[in-house]
């Protein structure tokens, strides 16, 4: 079998959190195109259903929508059980739901800080553990977390200490779980995108005005596209990445190189 065939995900089942739109929608489409059945997991069930229908129509795969607030333990456990029962198992997941709130540190309220940490870090912990428990008990699996280049550098000019701290936490959580589960066939990796054109950036009142500044700073002179994260995630979900665990993949057009 050639390398491209080996990279396919035929017969695999997985979920994507924050899968209704943006980066998650794009990777969910890629997983389905590669042959997997996929659950679109999102707090916005209307958008998740539309996305699931669109991807299923485009790929012919089984794609379901499951409502879940990834910060609520009971909802995450229920979501995982629904995915396993509807799709017939769980081989991989892309834990990706996240938000950004910008405020100078001295003006940031504890509620703002907590909201960012709760979705971006606690939510990843909950979804990693729920998926990990199933995978540990059923022969293994692959977990992909969305971190960010903000887990490596401090973005400027916008002040976003909670976001940066949450993403650094995701990278270290990823490595910790990878070590704990390495000999039990559960792999855990993260991706760290640079600025990507999604609702989070293009339609945010606070971030949108900064795009031209970011583009000036960016070695490639532009934002990344969600599709430019697809191949790394298909690789991580599948069986050609069996020696890859505890790794963080910076996909940022060299933004963090200087
Ligand atoms: P989007 O805002 O476009 O999509 C995020 C999705 O997650 C939305 O559908 C959102 O629903 C959903 N969501 C938010 N909170 C929860 C929750 N508690 N439980 C379940 N779903 C939730 O974001 P992106 O696609 O841009 O970002 C995806 C991930 O990538 C995030 O973790 C982000 O931090 C990270 N990232 C993004 C970069 C970028 O430049 N865009 C760069 C680096 C990392 P709703 O619409 O209802 O809020």
């Amino acid at each position: 079998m050639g390398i491209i065939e080996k990279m396919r995900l035929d017969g695999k089942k997985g979920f994507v959190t924050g899968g209704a739109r943006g980066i998650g929608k794009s990777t969910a489409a890629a997983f389905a195109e590669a042959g997997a059945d996929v659950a679109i997991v999102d707090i916005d069930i209307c958008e998740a259903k539309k996305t699931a229908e669109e991807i299923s129509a485009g790929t012919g795969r089984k794609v379901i929508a499951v409502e879940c607030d990834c910060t609520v333990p009971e909802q995450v456990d229920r979501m995982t059980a629904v995915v396993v029962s509807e799709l017939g198992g769980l081989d991989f997941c892309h834990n990706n739901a996240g938000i950004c709130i910008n405020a100078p540190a001295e003006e940031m309220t504890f509620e703002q800080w907590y909201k960012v940490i709760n979705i971006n870090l606690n939510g990843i912990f909950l979804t990693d553990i729920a998926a990990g428990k199933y995978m540990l008990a059923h022969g293994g699996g692959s977990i992909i977390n969305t971190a960010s280049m903000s887990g490596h550098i401090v973005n400027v000019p916008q002040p976003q200490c909670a976001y940066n701290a949450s993403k650094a936490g995701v990278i270290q959580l990823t490595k910790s779980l990878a070590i704990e589960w390495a000999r039990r066939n559960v792999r855990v990796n993260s991706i760290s995108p640079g600025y990507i054109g999604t609702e989070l950036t293009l339609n945010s009142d606070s971030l949108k005005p900064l795009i031209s500044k970011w583009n000036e700073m960016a070695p490639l002179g532009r934002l990344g596209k969600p599709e430019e994260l697809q191949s790394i995630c298909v690789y991580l979900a599948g069986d050609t990445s069996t020696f890859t665990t505890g790794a963080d993949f910076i996909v940022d057009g060299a933004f963090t190189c200087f």
Side-chain angles (χ1 to χ4, degrees), residues 23-178:
I23 292 169
K25 177 178 178 179
S26 180
T27 63
F31 295 140
E33 195 186 321
D37 292 337
V38 182
I40 307 296
V41 175
D42 208 285
I43 200 165
D44 182 345
I45 188 62
C46 294
E47 205 56 31
K49 280 182 180 163
K50 277 193 236 159
T51 296
E53 279 162 24
E54 185 185 320
I55 296 176
S56 182
T59 61
R61 300 310 315 166
K62 181 168 185 178
V63 186
I64 62 169
V66 185
E67 184 172 13
C68 177
D69 179 341
C70 294
T71 65
V72 180
E74 299 74 26
Q75 291 194 29
V76 172
D77 288 344
R78 182 194 149 273
M79 174 278 287
T80 310
V82 169
V83 171
V84 166
S85 118
E86 296 266 321
L87 298 187
L90 182 64
D91 302 291
F92 68 89
C93 61
H94 182 187
N95 293 332
N96 163 78
I99 60 161
C100 186
I101 298 175
N102 293 337
E106 71 278 17
E107 290 167 21
M108 179 170 276
T109 64
F110 180 67
E111 285 69 27
Q112 288 175 317
W113 166 270
Y114 186 79
K115 188 170 180 186
V116 173
I117 298 291
N118 202 26
I119 297 175
N120 292 10
L121 183 56
N122 296 345
I124 297 274
F125 170 76
L126 291 172
T127 43
D128 280 4
I129 297 302
K133 274 185 182 167
Y134 177 87
M135 291 170 180
L136 288 167
H138 293 84
S142 174
I143 296 172
I144 306 159
N145 293 326
T146 299
S148 169
M149 70 172 174
S150 310
H152 297 269
I153 56 146
V154 173
N155 305 61
V156 290
Q158 71 275 23
Q160 50 177 55
C161 68
Y163 186 84
N164 298 342
S166 73
K167 294 300 187 178
V170 171
I171 294 166
Q172 200 61 349
L173 171 66
T174 301
K175 291 177 190 289
S176 304
L177 297 181

Side-chain angles (χ1 to χ4, degrees), residues 185-208:
N185 203 29
V186 177
R187 298 182 292 109
V188 193
N189 294 286
S190 55
I191 58 166
S192 280
Y195 294 116
I196 306 291
T198 66
E199 295 278 320
L200 186 142
T201 45
L202 301 176
N203 287 334
S204 152
D205 290 342
S206 63
L207 296 182
K208 199 174 167 184

